[in-house]
């Protein structure tokens, strides 16, 4: 009995380790608040296998007619979008890691491999059924608050739909949704479609295991403190700390989802006071710089993908108060923005914004020029 128990636990440990240590599933999300009522939702986007074209932003107009997918094709839920939105894309699909609609509703998706599980498809429920990507578009196009989303979740059935652009597998996502009031929820679909809702812990989200596990795991880090180490005396020895930087000593530094969750929570909890939402946007970029993953750090040297300069392909920051979507990419660290208030979503045509066509980082030359000598 004891031997079987040990074998079983070893197998579980191996499975969980393989799930949480994969470089594909390494996205990290945070939320920052500012004194002027700003709510800023930010995240990194990792996809280490190839260039997933996450840098291409789709503009979706108001009043678009949507038709959802099922395993049988485009015979799922039909609906007409009330709101326009912008969204990152993935492999040319009309959805991606996150998006922001014209009312300031934010929707982000994060991998939850090994735990996300959608409903078994029943053709009798085809008119309510949709893929997980459709669910993202449905939320962004149909609602302006988190409460509205939650009130209508019973109207849909999310089913697994193969997408060959993602390797032909189901896409195991969970969601983070936030509105301009600061109301936020984590939505997980598990156990063949069971819906679980969580209040975000400090606005943080990563990947597997499920959300409640991460919150419980926070108890392992109650000793973390921003206070630097102090001089200690032991008998005849007087030990001094090694300079500065001893605050938050013991913070995990690896790239697994549990460690990134703890780090993101610590950096959010200790964030300095922010006066404006724009200040929060740039502070979010600084915090998320701590989660950028160099491609060689998580992929064996003989399996490095070509054309991908970093495993962190995009970092985005959505200002829900001002309704502005900011981002920078692995190809260009210059921060770019899309101001949704300046877009007439009633007349604009659906289109892709691709500011990375040249795939070359922008560099500003500030080398001092020699002074011109005056002619005598």
């Amino acid at each position: 009995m004891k031997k079987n128990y040990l074998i079983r636990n070893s197998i579980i440990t191996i499975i969980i380790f393989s799930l949480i240590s994969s470089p594909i599933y390494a996205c990290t999300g945070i939320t920052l608040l500012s004194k002027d009522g700003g709510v800023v939702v930010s995240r990194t986007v990792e996809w280490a296998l190839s260039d997933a074209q996450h840098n291409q932003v789709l503009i979706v107009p108001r009043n678009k007619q949507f038709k959802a997918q099922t395993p049988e094709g485009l015979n799922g839920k039909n609906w007409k979008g009330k709101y326009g939105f912008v969204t990152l894309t993935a492999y040319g699909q009309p959805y991606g890691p996150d998006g922001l609609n014209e009312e300031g509703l934010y929707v982000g998706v994060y991998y939850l491999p090994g735990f996300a599980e959608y409903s078994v498809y029943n053709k009798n429920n085809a008119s309510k059924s949709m893929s997980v990507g459709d669910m993202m578009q449905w939320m962004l196009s149909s609602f302006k608050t988190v409460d509205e989303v939650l009130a209508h979740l019973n109207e849909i059935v999310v089913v697994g739909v193969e997408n060959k652009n993602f390797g032909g597998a189901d896409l195991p996502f969970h969601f983070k949704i936030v509105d301009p009031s600061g109301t936020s929820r984590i939505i997980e679909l598990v156990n063949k479609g069971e819906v679980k809702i969580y209040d975000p812990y400090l606005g943080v989200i990563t990947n597997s295991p499920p959300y409640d596990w991460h919150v419980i795991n926070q108890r392992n880090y109650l000793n973390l403190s921003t206070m630097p180490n102090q001089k200690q005396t032991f008998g005849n020895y007087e030990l001094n700390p090694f300079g500065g930087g001893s605050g938050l000593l013991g913070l995990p530094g690896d790239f697994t989802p549990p460690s990134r969750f703890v780090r993101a929570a610590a950096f959010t909890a200790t964030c300095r006071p922010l006066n404006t939402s724009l200040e929060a946007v740039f502070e979010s970029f600084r915090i998320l710089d701590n989660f950028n993953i160099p491609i060689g750090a998580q992929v064996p040297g003989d399996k490095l993908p070509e054309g991908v300069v970093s495993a962190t392909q995009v970092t985005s920051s959505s200002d829900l108060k001002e309704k502005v979507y900011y981002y920078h990419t692995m190809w260009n660290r210059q921060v770019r923005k899309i101001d949704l208030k300046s877009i007439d979503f009633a007349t604009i045509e659906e289109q892709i914004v691709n500011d990375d066509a040249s795939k070359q980082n922008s560099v500003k030359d500030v080398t001092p020029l020699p002074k011109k000598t005056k002619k005598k």
Side-chain angles (χ1 to χ4, degrees), residues 289-307:
D289 278 345
N290 292 276
F291 300 87
N292 284 344
I293 301 178
I295 189 67
Q298 293 290 287
V299 179
D302 60 347
K303 295 184 179 179
L304 291 176
E306 295 183 4

Side-chain angles (χ1 to χ4, degrees), residues 76-343:
K77 182 177 177 66
N78 293 322
W79 77 94
K80 185 178 182 180
K82 294 169 60 177
Y83 308 110
F85 61 91
V86 303
T87 177
L88 292 178
T89 65
Y91 293 108
Q93 304 304 296
Y95 58 86
D98 69 3
L100 178 67
N101 78 10
E102 60 179 305
E103 294 292 335
L105 178 70
Y106 170 90
V107 177
V109 296
Y110 294 77
Y111 262 89
L112 192 67
F115 298 95
E117 189 175 57
Y118 308 130
S119 298
V120 176
Y121 176 62
N122 181 342
K123 60 177 60 180
N124 294 327
N125 289 330
S127 63
K128 296 176 60 177
S129 298
M130 61 175 56
S131 72
V132 68
D134 292 323
M135 182 181 176
M136 180 181 185
Q137 296 180 87
W138 174 71
M139 289 189 285
L140 285 170
S141 65
S142 303
F143 308 109
K144 60 182 180 181
T145 69
V146 168
D147 288 341
E148 285 183 4
V149 173
L150 299 180
H152 290 83
L153 281 179
N154 62 347
E155 298 176 5
I156 63 170
V157 178
V158 180
V159 297
V161 178
E162 284 192 357
N163 190 320
K164 298 188 184 303
N165 291 296
F166 290 90
D170 293 343
L171 301 177
F173 289 137
H174 59 165
F175 293 88
K176 175 182 175 180
I177 58 175
V178 193
D179 66 33
S181 73
T183 301
S184 180
R185 294 292 185 273
I186 306 298
I187 302 174
E188 294 187 346
L189 304 171
V190 297
N191 303 325
K192 295 184 178 179
E194 179 186 357
V195 179
K196 292 196 172 184
I197 310 294
Y198 300 99
D199 290 325
Y201 178 80
L202 295 175
V204 172
I205 186 172
T206 57
N207 314 106
S208 297
Y211 203 81
D212 54 350
W213 186 97
H214 286 288
V215 177
I216 293 171
N217 186 51
Q218 286 293 114
R219 300 180 189 182
N220 286 317
Y221 299 92
L222 295 175
N223 63 312
L224 290 176
S225 170
T226 56
M227 293 295 295
N229 283 347
Q230 303 298 314
K231 178 176 67 176
Q232 298 285 340
T233 300
F234 300 94
N236 295 328
Y237 288 90
E238 187 176 86
L239 303 182
N240 291 287
F242 290 115
S246 60
L248 294 181
L249 189 66
L251 196 67
D254 60 78
F255 295 118
T256 61
S259 294
R260 286 184 286 107
F261 192 101
V262 173
R263 284 209 308 284
F267 295 149
T268 300
T270 59
C271 181
R272 65 187 175 87
L274 303 165
N275 292 318
T276 66
S277 56
L278 183 59
E279 194 174 336
V281 165
F282 284 96
E283 190 67 18
S284 73
F285 282 128
R286 277 188 285 272
I287 289 174
L288 290 177
D289 278 345
N290 292 276
F291 300 87
N292 284 344
I293 301 178
I295 189 67
Q298 293 290 287
V299 179
D302 60 347
K303 295 184 179 179
L304 291 176
E306 295 183 4
V308 179
V309 297
S310 170
T312 303
Q313 295 194 357
V314 179
T315 303
S316 72
S317 187
S318 295
D319 183 341
L320 309 193
K321 175 175 177 281
E322 300 298 335
K323 300 175 182 60
V324 182
Y325 187 86
Y326 297 86
Y327 68 100
H328 64 67
T329 73
M330 64 180 179
W331 304 115
N332 191 342
R333 294 277 291 182
Q334 182 180 21
V335 175
R336 285 148 279 177
K337 75 173 186 178
I338 297 177
D339 186 348
L340 278 70
K341 300 190 304 300
S342 300
I343 299 175

Side-chain angles (χ1 to χ4, degrees), residues 59-77:
I59 311 295
V60 179
R62 196 183 303 156
N63 301 317
K64 177 180 177 178
Q65 193 67 43
F66 292 87
K67 185 173 290 188
Q69 285 183 301
T70 77
E72 293 184 311
L74 292 172
N75 65 324
K77 182 177 177 66

